[in-house]
Amino acid sequence: MLTGQLANGGAIPVIKPFTHNPGHEAPPPEEEYRSDDCLWFFNAVPVYVAETGNLDFYRKVLPYADHGEATVFGHLRRALEFNLERTGRNGLPCGLSADWNDCIKLGYLGESVFVSFQVRYGLEVYAGIADKLGLPSEASWARAELEKLEVNIQKVCWDGEWFIWAIGQDGTVYGTKNFPEGQVYMNTQVWAVISGAATPTRPTGRCRR
């Protein structure tokens, strides 16, 4: 799956395993990138390394789908950069063509709080890996980016009792107490906890009747 990532950090929306040809795949049109595809690396790769005990896996060189190559660790950095380079007016990662929830069309430049939490989680995981590999500059980069993203998350995404789902390209806020329906989206509440964005002063999971 790492070889389904493109050199720009994004991922091929659909990988065909029987014909997949790393290093020679054509990238999708810009409007077809999905924001979450490359971010699941941060859930999968560290678990694989923990299970095998093979820390050197992060140093393994693998090709990108279209051209070039990088270590597994380098693939992880490009995944983060892909989303950090595509942010909206509030400094949150854009949802692009989809952010895993294909039912909500945010507009390409709409901002996804779910993906913001994924990036937050990825930055923290990346910093921890950098510490283990003895790469303090990489760890510092990730923590600095995390600090900037965290400011935007806490400023924009907290709705008083829970975290919103997303902000559409047209400015529509999804998952807000100001709407009569669709006030709470479970996915962002769960990922607020997974990512560490939920705090004692901003706990998540309470629902209004």
Side-chain angles (χ1 to χ4, degrees):
M1 296 304 292
L2 283 158
T3 65
Q5 182 189 32
L6 297 139
N8 69 357
I12 296 176
V14 178
I15 296 173
K16 301 175 181 177
F18 295 108
T19 58
H20 181 54
N21 189 11
H24 303 281
E25 296 284 354
E30 181 68 24
E31 65 270 14
E32 292 183 11
Y33 281 104
R34 297 187 299 220
S35 52
D36 69 305
D37 282 348
C38 58
L39 293 172
W40 297 102
F41 292 160
F42 297 96
N43 299 87
V45 174
V47 173
Y48 172 79
V49 172
E51 187 70 20
T52 62
N54 181 18
L55 194 64
D56 280 340
F57 181 70
Y58 290 117
R59 301 183 179 94
K60 183 178 174 122
V61 176
L62 292 172
Y64 288 111
D66 50 350
H67 62 83
E69 62 183 18
T71 63
V72 170
F73 189 65
H75 278 263
L76 297 180
R77 170 144 180 166
R78 287 303 292 138
L80 293 168
E81 290 173 334
F82 177 80
N83 287 278
L84 292 171
E85 291 165 1
R86 292 162 175 80
T87 58
R89 69 187 72 176
N90 296 291
L92 303 174
C94 294
L96 309 184
S97 71
D99 71 346
W100 185 74
N101 185 345
D102 299 345
C103 299
I104 298 180
K105 300 304 180 185
L106 303 174
Y108 198 75
L109 299 179
E111 296 164 287
S112 169
V113 178
F114 161 61
V115 172
S116 299
F117 290 154
Q118 278 195 300
V119 174
R120 188 193 190 287
Y121 178 79
L123 287 165
E124 194 156 330
V125 168
Y126 185 88
I129 296 169
D131 288 337
K132 291 178 182 177
L133 296 178
L135 299 170
S137 63
E138 290 296 312
S140 295
W141 169 80
R143 291 188 173 109
E145 291 295 331
L146 190 156
E147 186 175 341
K148 289 188 288 186
L149 178 59
E150 177 70 1
V151 169
N152 293 331
I153 287 173
Q154 298 299 337
K155 177 182 177 182
V156 176
C157 305
W158 181 248
D159 201 43
E161 294 184 53
W162 56 77
F163 287 93
I164 63 173
W165 168 269
I167 303 172
Q169 184 170 316
D170 63 358
T172 299
V173 178
Y174 295 90
T176 171
K177 61 188 177 186
N178 297 321
F179 274 18
E181 297 180 350
Q183 293 181 335
V184 185
Y185 283 78
M186 186 61 68
N187 199 36
T188 39
Q189 312 321 310
V190 172
W191 270 89
V193 175
I194 292 173
S195 69
T199 66
T201 57
R202 291 189 172 182
T204 187
R206 296 180 296 170
C207 298
R208 298 170 70 215
R209 293 187 180 275

